[in-house]
Amino acid sequence: MSRNVLKSSLQNASFNIIFQILFRCVTFVLNAFIIRYVGQDVLGIMNVRLLLLESTILFLSREPLLKACLTDTKSHNWAQVINQIWLSVPLSGLLSICLVYVWINVLSSTDDQYLMQYQIGCYAVAFSCVIDQIAQPVQLVAQSYCFVKLKVIFETIYITARTITFVILVINNPENAIHAFSIAQVSSSLLLCLLYYEFFYYYIKKFNNVKVKDDFKSDMEKRLFGDMQDFKFKSILDFIPGFMSNNDKPLNKKLTILTISFAKQSVIKQVLTEGEKYVMTISPVLTFSQQSMYDIVNNLGSLAARFIFRPIEDSAYFYFTQMIKRDSTLTQQDQKSVSQATIVLSHLCKVVTSIGLIAVFFGNSYSYTLLFLYGGTSLTETNLPTVLLKCHCIAVLLLAVNGVTECYVFATMNNKQLDRYNYLMVLFSISFLLLSYILTMFLGPVGFIFANCLNMAARIMHSVYYISHKYKDTNYKPLDGLIPGKFFIFSLILSLFVTKWSEHFYLENVTMKSTLIHILIGAICFLITISIWVYENKHLATIGFNKYKRRLSFKSD
């Protein structure tokens, strides 16, 4: 495609980071609202049980097909790809039938007062998942043709509509909060689906008119259509299977094999990602109230992962799939692409590792403060939430390194390597679940975090081995980016001593004034640490600054 892949990947990461910040801010405010209006039990049912059902259906039915269909989009036979991505609809329907039965009849039941609402909630979540999959073909095309801002705009509308609907219904009828959740879930999914199809209906109509005339009358038309001459869709019906002209087989064999490989991987990855929630759901380790408390602390501890790391990983995966071929060694590929991809990987490793280290060193001194500001004395009356959040900071560092290295691994492995890794992921999954259950029995909720850290460390070791082996015949060393600068490390250690002293001195008797002083001291240490990092990474900081300047100048023009 004619658009610059690296540019669109960076834009996608930037906009997604902004969107994730907005989404998480809304979620945190919403969680506090739920606790105050309807209590922790309802929050546990919605945030752990029902959202786990949604995550399981969507991830298993969407992830394998989407990853396979995003591979090398420049060479796509789009008729085959549309047929392939539509398989997610019947797949999500089949998964919904099976999983809803398990969620209602097999898993531990809720209290009688919530039972009917919970059952309706399961059906509503399943229905909304099927609707989401109907929108997958247009979302795939939007991502493939680099409609970066479109996703952010529509997802923001989606989150806003869901939140407003839920809040209005709960305020009017707080005892039926789970019903409100169900209505908000289905209505917002319908809205998102309609927005995507409506946009492309008008886009294709306008695109066809402009292409026939070959005349761009406005700057808007130039931006929308000027570099889209390779756009293959002539009608909104082309998004429906079988409508686009196709002189080949209905499905692409290579993409089908790749989908099967990703499907095996997705089952394992879902267990690894949501493992603690599965343990909580299947076994009576924690009550719904305790589950909601763990979920709140888990979300607070995963701020950096959700705001920054996930958008970076999604964009990096797309970038690496376009730059590095799966079935060739690096020496057999275009060296300019290999060099650029290596530099990007090294820079990404440097950035995410630095962010993770900042989370570890500053999180140790500010976990209590964050919990106090977010939930007041209800979250700080015992020491457990603070310990949980401090442990999460270690998990953030491991999550940062694992996310970037593993996204490169998944983007560059061939089918045989993916299949071999699937067996290894099975071992990781089984070990993780066993460790989660055993450690939780002895350590409580902290056991979930320790099990996750051990699992993440094992996956990092595999990714490091794979990347090192892939680059063994070259002069590139992208993993050097994982090693932070010595002055940066020194500034982190010094900041830890200063902020721990501040925490002990100013938070012995917590007041708003002492909390603000403690935060101010941390802010000064943070600015000094960031300044030292910029000094040690002048080249990387200059690249980011220049791109920001170009964006500002482009907007002003």
Side-chain angles (χ1 to χ4, degrees), residues 18-66:
I18 295 171
F19 168 73
Q20 288 291 337
I21 292 173
L22 172 65
F23 173 69
R24 286 299 148 189
C25 288
V26 170
T27 301
F28 290 142
V29 172
L30 197 59
N31 285 344
F33 168 80
I34 294 170
I35 290 175
R36 286 167 174 76
Y37 267 80
V38 294
Q40 294 185 21
D41 284 344
V42 173
L43 183 63
I45 292 171
M46 291 189 301
N47 279 17
V48 177
R49 185 68 68 85
L50 292 179
L51 289 184
L52 180 62
L53 174 62
E54 179 192 43
S55 170
T56 305
I57 295 172
L58 286 180
F59 197 87
L60 296 183
S61 60
R62 176 174 62 192
E63 191 79 1
L65 288 158
L66 186 60

Side-chain angles (χ1 to χ4, degrees), residues 361-402:
F361 281 86
F362 282 88
N364 194 277
S365 303
Y366 286 90
S367 293
Y368 178 89
T369 305
L370 179 60
L371 289 168
F372 177 74
L373 292 175
Y374 178 68
T377 55
S378 62
L379 283 179
T380 55
E381 58 186 0
T382 65
N383 194 42
L384 178 60
T386 304
V387 173
L388 279 171
L389 194 51
K390 287 181 179 180
C391 293
H392 259 299
C393 293
I394 300 172
V396 166
L397 172 60
L398 295 173
L399 190 67
V401 177
N402 178 70

Side-chain angles (χ1 to χ4, degrees), residues 57 95 123 142 159 162 172 191 198 204 220 265 282 301 315 331 412 425 451 488 491 501 511 518 521 529 552:
I57 295 172
L95 282 170
Y123 290 117
I159 294 298
R162 189 174 70 176
N172 292 327
L191 175 63
E198 191 76 8
I204 293 171
M220 178 64 73
Q265 187 186 101
I282 295 171
S315 298
T331 54
T412 59
M425 291 281 276
F488 175 65
S491 67
W501 167 82
T511 63
H518 179 52
I521 291 173
T529 302
L552 287 181

Side-chain angles (χ1 to χ4, degrees), residues 264-273 275 279 421-436 455 459:
K264 299 173 188 176
Q265 187 186 101
S266 295
V267 175
I268 301 162
K269 190 174 181 181
Q270 176 67 7
V271 173
L272 292 173
T273 303
V279 173
Y421 187 55
N422 287 336
Y423 293 113
L424 190 60
M425 291 281 276
V426 170
L427 295 177
F428 288 154
S429 301
I430 295 172
S431 302
F432 173 60
L433 292 176
L434 289 175
L435 279 171
S436 295
N455 169 66
R459 290 164 64 182

Side-chain angles (χ1 to χ4, degrees), residues 12 15-16 19-20 22-23 26 62 132 135-136 139 148-163 188 191-193 195-196:
N12 193 28
F15 286 122
N16 271 319
F19 168 73
Q20 288 291 337
L22 172 65
F23 173 69
V26 170
R62 176 174 62 192
D132 287 339
Q136 272 305 294
Q139 289 178 301
V148 177
K149 296 179 184 179
L150 183 70
K151 177 184 176 182
V152 178
I153 294 170
F154 283 176
E155 293 283 348
T156 302
I157 294 172
Y158 164 76
I159 294 298
T160 304
R162 189 174 70 176
T163 303
S188 58
L191 175 63
L192 183 64
C193 184
L195 282 173
Y196 268 106

